Amino acid sequence: MELSYASPAPLAQFGEVFREGGLLLVRHEATLPMRCVLCNGDAAPGQGPVKLIFTWDPSFRVTHESTLHLRQTAVVRAHLCAPHLRNWRMGRVVGIAGVCISGLMILTGAVVAALSDSSPVPRYVPAAISGMLGGFVLLTLSMFLLAFKTRTLTCRKIYGTYVHLADADEGFLAALPAAPHGYVADGRK
C-alpha cells in the first residue's frame, strides 16, 4: 500500500513536463522543450533557456486549508524565440537600470535638500524635492516595466514538486504528453 504523504510525487515516475487542459505541469528544476513557450516558434539559436522563478502561497487563495503554509518556490527553465527573448531581456535591463537611476535621483535629492536646508537661504530645496518625487515616479514606472515586460507564464499553484502554469501557447501544450490517466493536477489519485 502506498501512502500519498510518504511517497514521491506520483507524476515523477512518468516524466517532468505534462499538459492538463490549458495548464502546463512542470517539475521543479525541469527544462522545457526547445520551443518558445509563448508562441511555439523556434527557440532563439545559440541561446540557453531562461530561468523563470515562480512563487506560490496557498493561503491567499484556499480558505479551507491551514493558513500556516509557507511560500513555495519553483524554478523552471524555458526557451524563448528571438523576439520574445529580446523583449524579456530588454524589460530586465531597462527596468533594473530605471530602478538604479531612480535610487540615485532620490539619494541625490535627499542630500541636496539636507545641505540646502541647513544653509541660511535654502534655495535648492524645491528642486531637490522635485528630483526626489521624480525618482519615486521613475521607480514606480521601472517596477511596472520590469513586471510586465518580463512576464512569461502565470503560476496557478505549486503542489509537491510540480508547478502548474497558465498562458503557455496552445501549440506548445499540444506537443506535450497529457498528464497520465488517473492523476490529477494536484498529484493525488
Side-chain angles (χ1 to χ4, degrees):
M1 179 172 163
E2 185 176 41
L3 302 173
S4 62
Y5 61 86
S7 303
L11 292 176
Q13 60 189 342
F14 298 105
E16 293 186 326
V17 182
F18 302 99
R19 66 176 157 78
E20 184 172 72
L23 288 180
L24 175 63
L25 279 66
V26 184
R27 188 176 174 117
H28 172 61
E29 292 288 343
T31 301
L32 296 177
M34 285 194 63
R35 303 286 300 161
C36 179
V37 72
L38 299 175
C39 68
N40 198 34
D42 293 331
Q47 299 294 321
V50 295
K51 181 178 177 181
L52 305 175
I53 301 172
F54 301 97
T55 59
W56 173 257
D57 187 345
S59 65
F60 289 135
R61 295 195 184 186
V62 180
T63 57
H64 65 278
E65 289 186 20
S66 171
T67 57
L68 298 176
H69 287 285
L70 297 176
R71 182 173 294 273
Q72 298 168 306
T73 302
V75 174
V76 174
R77 287 170 179 76
H79 295 275
L80 298 174
C81 63
H84 283 121
L85 183 62
R86 185 174 36 258
N87 197 27
W88 185 80
R89 284 185 177 158
M90 186 60 71
R92 285 181 60 151
V93 168
V94 173
I96 291 170
V99 168
C100 293
I101 292 169
S102 67
L104 287 173
M105 288 174 67
I106 294 167
L107 184 62
T108 302
V111 169
V112 169
L115 292 174
S116 179
D117 196 39
S118 64
S119 69
V121 180
R123 53 179 89 134
Y124 299 112
V125 171
I129 291 173
S130 297
M132 289 192 310
L133 287 175
F136 281 115
V137 168
L138 181 60
L139 177 66
T140 303
L141 292 175
S142 298
M143 294 303 287
F144 274 110
L145 180 74
L146 191 60
F148 292 119
K149 289 290 267 183
T150 61
R151 185 175 180 276
T152 51
L153 300 172
T154 304
C155 180
R156 293 290 182 216
K157 77 174 161 179
I158 298 173
Y159 187 84
T161 59
Y162 281 85
V163 59
H164 307 266
L165 304 169
D167 301 327
D169 182 74
E170 291 178 13
F172 183 84
L173 289 173
L176 298 174
H181 180 70
Y183 291 91
V184 293
D186 64 6
R188 290 179 268 174
K189 285 188 177 182

